[in-house]
Amino acid sequence: MSQMNQELLTAITFIADEKKIPRDAVVDALKNAIIKSYMREFPEEVINADINIDQKILHVYQILNIVDDYEDLNDYCEISLDDAKAFYAKNKIQKEAVVGEQLHKNIELNKLPKKIVDRIMQTFRQLILMQSNNVIYQRWKDRVGTIIYAEVEKNDNHGVVVNLENGEFGYLGRKDIIPNENLMPGQKYRFLVKEVLQSSSGWPILLTRTNEEFVLGLLKEEIPEINEGLIEIHAIKRVPGFKTKVCVSSHQIGLEPCGTIIGPQGSRIAGVRRELNYELVEAVFYSDDFETFLINLCYPALIYGYKVVSEATEDHKKQVIIVVPSDQMALLIGKFGANIRLISKILNIDADVKTPQEAKIEDLQYNRVEIKTQRQRTFERILESNKAGHDLDMNQFNKPNPIDLNTLKDKDNTIVAQSEPNTQIKVKKTTSAKKILNSSNAVNLLDQIDNFQFELPKEDNENVNSNINNNHVENEKQVEIVTKKTTTNKKSLIEKLMANEETRQLSGNASDLEAKLENEKIFKEANKKKKSVKKSRNKAKVEPAKFTSILEEFKNKNNEELLKELENENQDRDYEELLDNYEDQDEE
């Protein structure tokens, strides 16, 4: 076996292990590549190949039919009997040449023209790629329509290659990339598996970021109410890079679908917009009524009306003229016409926009709509949904045995409401709202209170009024009793004080009073003198500038004399401070 054949057999085993393809599939791919490439160069010849990896056999041969010699012999597929005998003798093949049998003429691959060899290798790579893609198809065919999180491997002018790990790659064409978006290599993004091709010679896994299903997948990841079935998405239409409209409705009473998707201050929709390269995402309330749905889709533009020019046919869409004021025209059309295009896609119509002035000139008779803000329409819609749900819940209270609310009974304070004769329901009046809300009968209680007719019979009203009057009379009596008690207490207190004052005055003598007065005068004069002495002493304090002279005197005098003087001064100072403190206390 030649060296080239040996290299091919080694390549077959390596490719089979790397691509995780069965060896038989690789052998078939190589066999088909040799036959197709050779017959493309020599179409009249018939060749075949025998390949056995275990026995290391690679035999490529030409098939010739043994015939009797005649003039127009075809050398590409026929050989004469004499030439066949000579071929067997030359190659030392112990076989007898017989007319009608086939002769296998060996073909050396290394002796083939380079053109044929290159074509064989190219065809072999394509066939191996198709086999590999077929294996990938079996693994990824069930993941079509799902969102994956993968890293960008390469980004060029043709498209983006995404690394899906395990030696598998996905591909995005330029149409599947959001306009003005630059996917950086090495960064991870979310992609939608758009399609998986079987036996493809190109990329088997095709990804996208511009599909409406991509927006749907992102919404399901961010908003759990969609997966729970509380919010239904009826339609999603998108102009990639500019705007997306999502038509939604709610299956739960009181749940506003648009606000739920957007979230407080746009917190929920922010994650979706971030993945869409900050594309505008608008939630629209879906309605079966064409007029209501058109008004919702046109918002924030407030339209005056519309006219259906023609209904939809097999060849043409529904023709609709929308009348909008000139100052709202830009809002309705949108940037690069994105908004009006989305409206046309969702309603499946051909929309034309006119101003009221143009409609008047053309004498256009159109259906006028009531101009309301989106907040007003949302509020009215919530009221209608709550009313519908309330009407449905009223059926459960028509039963003969109403709900027992004894669990909410209060010993001290109860409110009695009578809805039917001989039927009373006691409602607890408490300051804690959590207890009522946490109870299992709280919702039913509130609904049942709404259904009650609080118009009591006349006899009951009279009894209630009489009880109220009696309560007023009793309260007035209690107030009089309290005022009487307070006045008597005040009088007795004043009398006691007067008596004490009289006794104190009678017990004292005039001489004592005079002595007390003189003492008070003397005490005041002494306080004045002490205050003046204190002020003078404060004024006579040593200034900081004189400390230098004191230090010089300290150097000249003896230490013993200075110490004695300091002790005397300290004693005098302590005595003065005690006097000052005492005087301050007296003044207080």
Side-chain angles (χ1 to χ4, degrees), residues 65 67-76 78-80 83:
N65 295 320
V67 296
D68 292 329
D69 191 10
Y70 62 96
E71 292 182 359
D72 295 331
L73 185 69
N74 189 353
D75 295 333
Y76 293 102
E78 294 178 344
I79 188 171
S80 63
D83 292 338

Side-chain angles (χ1 to χ4, degrees), residues 273-363:
R273 294 191 63 222
R274 196 181 303 114
E275 286 294 335
L276 299 177
N277 196 25
Y278 297 96
E279 181 179 310
L280 181 62
V281 180
E282 182 179 315
V284 181
F285 184 78
Y286 175 80
S287 177
D288 294 329
D289 182 41
F290 178 80
E291 180 178 316
T292 304
F293 196 25
L294 177 64
I295 293 170
N296 295 338
L297 287 170
C298 293
Y299 186 82
L302 303 177
I303 64 174
Y304 278 178
Y306 69 96
K307 181 178 182 180
V308 178
V309 179
S310 62
E311 295 293 337
T313 61
E314 294 181 356
D315 300 329
H316 301 285
K317 294 181 180 179
K318 190 175 185 178
Q319 303 289 327
V320 179
I321 296 175
I322 302 173
V323 181
V324 62
S326 57
D327 60 343
Q328 303 284 315
M329 183 74 74
L331 287 173
L332 181 61
I333 295 174
K335 188 176 182 180
F336 298 106
N339 195 52
I340 195 67
R341 285 163 59 190
L342 291 174
I343 294 171
S344 301
K345 286 182 180 179
I346 293 172
L347 294 175
N348 194 20
I349 61 173
D350 284 336
D352 188 12
V353 181
K354 293 183 182 296
T355 62
Q357 293 79 10
E358 293 174 348
K360 187 176 181 180
I361 293 171
E362 297 178 6
D363 195 16

